Amino acid sequence: EATLPLWGAIAETGMIVCLLFQGTDLRRLPELLRRFPDVRVVVDHLNNPVPAEGLGQPRFQALLDLAALPNVFAKISGFHHWCRERYPYRDGLPFIRRAVEAFGPDRCFWGSDFPHVLAGCGYLRNRNFLAREAGFLSPGDLRALMHDTAARLWFGGQP
C-alpha cells in the first residue's frame, strides 16, 4: 500500500519499471498491475531461476505466470549470476527457451548486465551467446530478442 503513490506516478509519466526479485515475490505483481494496467514492467534475469531445480520451480513459474499480462516483459540476462555452468551457460538454455515460448519474442529481450558481465564471460561473448547457443531461436526471434523488442519498449520505435 505504501508504494501505490509511486506506482500512480509511474503510470502518469509512462516510465518503465525494471524488477529484480528473488523467489516468488513476483506473485504479488498481477494484483498491482490490475490497478495500474498501463505500467510496463521488465523482469530482470528471468527471475533468477535455479537450474538444478528445473523448469517447474516456483520462482520460474512465478515469472511464466506473468506472461498472461501483456505489459510484462522478460529480460534474458544475468546468466553469470544464476547459471551454475560457466559460459556458454548451457544449463540456462531451457529457461530461455521456455520464457520465449511463454512471452513470445515480442516481449522478451536480451540484456548485457553491464558492468557485471565483465566478471562473467565478458561483454562480447555475452552479446553473441544467443546467436551461438540458442539454436531453437529462429532468425526473426533472435532479431526480436537482440534488437526489436528493446527498441520498441524503450524508444517506441518499430523494427
Side-chain angles (χ1 to χ4, degrees):
E1 289 296 317
T3 66
L4 292 180
L6 174 62
W7 285 88
I10 291 166
E12 288 176 20
T13 61
M15 293 176 65
I16 299 168
V17 177
C18 293
L19 299 174
L20 183 58
F21 275 114
Q22 295 296 325
T24 59
D25 287 342
L26 284 178
R27 292 195 170 138
R28 300 183 306 187
L29 199 55
E31 182 180 332
L32 188 58
L33 291 180
R34 280 191 275 283
R35 292 178 84 163
F36 301 100
D38 295 329
V39 172
R40 293 166 295 167
V41 172
V42 173
V43 179
D44 276 327
H45 301 351
L46 298 180
N47 202 33
N48 289 303
V50 178
E53 294 179 15
L55 294 172
Q57 67 189 270
R59 75 170 51 209
F60 190 62
Q61 190 58 53
L63 170 71
L64 297 180
D65 290 346
L66 296 177
L69 302 171
N71 52 333
V72 177
F73 295 76
K75 191 188 306 179
I76 299 172
S77 59
F79 313 110
H80 57 282
H81 293 298
W82 57 270
C83 290
R84 294 300 159 243
E85 295 179 12
R86 298 180 74 116
Y87 181 86
Y89 309 121
R90 290 194 177 101
D91 61 338
L93 292 171
F95 296 91
I96 295 166
R97 182 180 200 149
R98 184 65 191 102
V100 173
E101 289 171 354
F103 284 87
D106 293 331
R107 289 196 297 132
C108 290
F109 61 96
W110 171 85
S112 70
D113 199 31
F114 186 85
H116 307 286
V117 69
L118 299 177
C121 67
Y123 182 83
L124 187 58
R125 286 200 300 176
N126 191 38
R127 171 69 176 81
N128 294 321
F129 166 61
L130 293 177
R132 289 180 178 163
E133 299 297 327
F136 51 86
L137 295 172
S138 72
D141 292 347
L142 190 59
R143 178 169 170 79
L145 269 60
M146 299 305 296
H147 177 271
D148 296 350
T149 302
R152 190 180 66 256
L153 176 66
W154 300 117
F155 306 109
Q158 294 299 317

